[in-house]
């Protein structure tokens, strides 16, 4: 027992707390299985390494500021047939990051844009790729504050650092001239240097109005789209799917009948 305590204390001194914690149980297992000394050592060190990796990833997820965790496994591709699973699988390989290409997810509210952006971000983090998540509103506010404090360069460098910058909800609010200009500077700074994953409920044709300047919008799109993968998600909101089924909402335009017999019956009555 004294020896066991000593070994545990040594592991703690060496800053191997996870190995220290499981030392006794793993030793017992090794004795029961009549493991070799080296097999026991591999088992114990493996536990320490696995736990450390898990902790490192958790820290990176915190630093990435993901608002919540979503996975690709949780995404129901059958519900959203306009999302090409093969394309998502290809994006999950993170080849696009090596090419500093962008991913742009377009579509109406609730179709899974943020879900997919977050899930790809998580895949990246698990592969050791640095990510930072922000909404366009937060981003523009940060840049605006930095601009007024005369430290825009430093702020831009900060946004250049992560290999993937996720910018969620582009287009929910219109931008004033300064905001649009700051967003343009950000996109220019990252162009061909780092990937961005953008989500927007506005089609590209509406970006001129969103930025209040069609020339600036073209310049932004020119850089964003040069190396990019675009997912145009059509279809119905996942948030409303249960309500649709219950007939609370009308049949979505591209989903005739079946989705709600009650509503289609009503439509027939009108016809
Ligand atoms: P958007 O960003 O396009 O407005 P979200 O990604 O926030 O939509 O999706 C809304 C909610 O529905 C989230 O909780 C998300 O996880 C879920 N969701 C959306 N599409 C799917 C899907 N195809 N499979 C599983 N969950 C989905
Ligand atoms: Mg969203």
């Amino acid at each position: 027992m004294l020896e066991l305590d000593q070994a545990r204390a040594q592991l703690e001194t060496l800053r191997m707390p996870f190995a220290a914690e499981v030392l006794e149980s793993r030793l017992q297992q090794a004795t029961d299985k009549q493991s070799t000394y080296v097999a026991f050592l591999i088992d114990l060190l493996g536990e320490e390494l696995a736990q450390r990796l898990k902790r490192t990833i958790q820290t990176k997820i915190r630093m990435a500021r993901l608002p919540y965790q979503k996975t690709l496994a949780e995404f129901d591709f059958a519900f959203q047939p306009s999302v090409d699973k093969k394309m998502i699988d290809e994006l999950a390989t993170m080849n696009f990051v090596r090419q500093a290409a962008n991913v742009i997810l377009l579509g109406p509210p609730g179709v899974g844009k943020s879900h997919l952006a977050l899930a790809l971000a998580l895949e990246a983090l698990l592969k050791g790729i640095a990510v930072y998540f922000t909404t366009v509103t937060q981003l523009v506010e940060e840049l605006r504050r930095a601009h007024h404090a005369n430290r825009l360069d430093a702020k831009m460098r900060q946004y250049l650092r992560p290999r993937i910058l996720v910018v969620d909800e582009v287009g929910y609010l219109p931008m004033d001239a300064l905001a649009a200009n700051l967003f343009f500077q950000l996109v220019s700074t990252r162009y061909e240097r780092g990937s961005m994953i953008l989500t927007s409920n506005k089609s590209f044709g509406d970006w001129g109005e969103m930025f209040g300047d069609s020339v600036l919008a073209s310049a932004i799109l020119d850089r964003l789209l040069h190396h990019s993968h675009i997912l145009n998600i059509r279809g119905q909101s996942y948030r409303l799917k249960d309500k649709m089924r219950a007939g609370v909402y009308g049949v979505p335009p591209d989903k005739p009948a079946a989705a709600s017999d009650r509503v289609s019956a009503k439509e027939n009555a009108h016809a």
Side-chain angles (χ1 to χ4, degrees):
M1 243 334 152
L2 221 94
E3 275 184 322
L4 183 63
D5 288 340
Q6 192 184 354
R8 197 185 290 118
Q10 284 174 329
L11 285 170
E12 274 159 9
T13 306
L14 287 167
R15 295 191 201 289
M16 298 169 71
F18 304 110
E21 200 185 311
V22 298
L23 177 66
E24 193 171 357
S25 62
R26 296 303 168 94
L27 204 54
Q28 189 59 54
Q29 272 175 27
T31 309
D32 294 347
K33 285 197 296 183
Q34 296 186 309
S35 305
T36 60
Y37 295 123
V38 72
F40 164 71
L41 195 59
I42 287 170
D43 181 42
L44 189 70
L45 296 180
E47 175 69 19
E48 178 70 30
L49 287 171
Q51 292 299 332
R52 279 188 193 187
L53 183 66
K54 212 161 121 186
R55 204 176 47 180
T56 309
I57 288 171
Q58 285 305 328
T59 306
K60 283 191 176 157
I61 288 173
R62 264 201 312 279
M63 278 166 44
R65 308 258 171 199
L66 305 189
Y68 40 86
Q69 288 184 31
K70 291 279 176 184
T71 63
L72 290 178
E74 286 163 352
F75 194 81
D76 181 356
F77 288 90
F79 180 80
Q80 211 59 266
S82 66
V83 175
D84 181 1
K85 183 167 189 301
K86 262 197 261 147
M87 184 168 171
I88 298 292
D89 288 343
E90 167 56 29
L91 291 174
T93 66
M94 298 296 143
N95 278 330
F96 76 97
V97 179
R98 284 179 271 282
Q99 293 144 9
N102 301 315
V103 177
I104 302 172
L105 296 148
L106 300 175
V111 292
K113 302 182 299 295
S114 299
H115 184 134
L116 288 171
L118 285 163
L120 287 172
L122 192 60
E123 287 292 322
L125 287 163
L126 295 174
K127 287 190 162 70
I129 296 168
V131 175
Y132 190 78
F133 178 99
T134 180
T135 64
V136 78
T137 311
Q138 285 168 351
L139 172 76
V140 163
E141 268 329 293
E142 284 276 308
L143 292 176
R144 195 194 294 275
R145 227 176 295 147
H147 170 76
H148 289 310
N150 254 329
R151 42 179 189 81
L152 187 59
D153 283 354
K155 198 74 198 174
M156 283 290 178
R157 274 198 299 280
Q158 201 179 318
Y159 281 113
L160 186 58
R161 222 172 288 147
R163 289 181 66 201
I164 299 179
L165 179 66
V166 184
V167 183
D168 200 17
E169 301 187 344
V170 177
Y172 278 87
L173 295 172
M175 289 189 196
D176 61 35
L178 178 61
N181 191 284
L182 290 169
F183 187 74
F184 168 71
Q185 286 189 51
L186 175 85
V187 170
S188 299
T189 306
R190 287 193 65 93
Y191 174 61
E192 294 192 333
R193 278 191 256 181
S195 295
M196 292 174 77
I197 300 179
L198 259 74
T199 78
S200 180
N201 62 334
K202 294 271 195 305
S203 61
F204 295 136
D206 294 334
W207 282 36
E209 197 182 330
M210 167 172 73
F211 289 110
D213 180 337
S214 58
V215 178
L216 191 66
S218 306
I220 290 170
L221 283 172
D222 197 52
R223 285 159 182 77
L224 276 181
L225 302 185
H226 184 194
H227 311 287
S228 65
H229 305 272
I230 299 159
L231 278 105
N232 216 330
I233 312 178
R234 291 171 301 274
Q236 62 190 101
S237 166
Y238 195 84
R239 290 193 190 102
L240 302 181
K241 76 170 174 143
D242 295 330
K243 296 196 176 68
M244 297 247 191
R245 202 172 293 141
V248 177
Y249 289 82
V251 179
D254 58 341
K255 277 244 161 164
S260 164
D261 293 339
R262 215 181 310 167
V263 178
S264 53
K266 229 186 284 166
E267 276 171 356
N268 287 342
H270 284 297

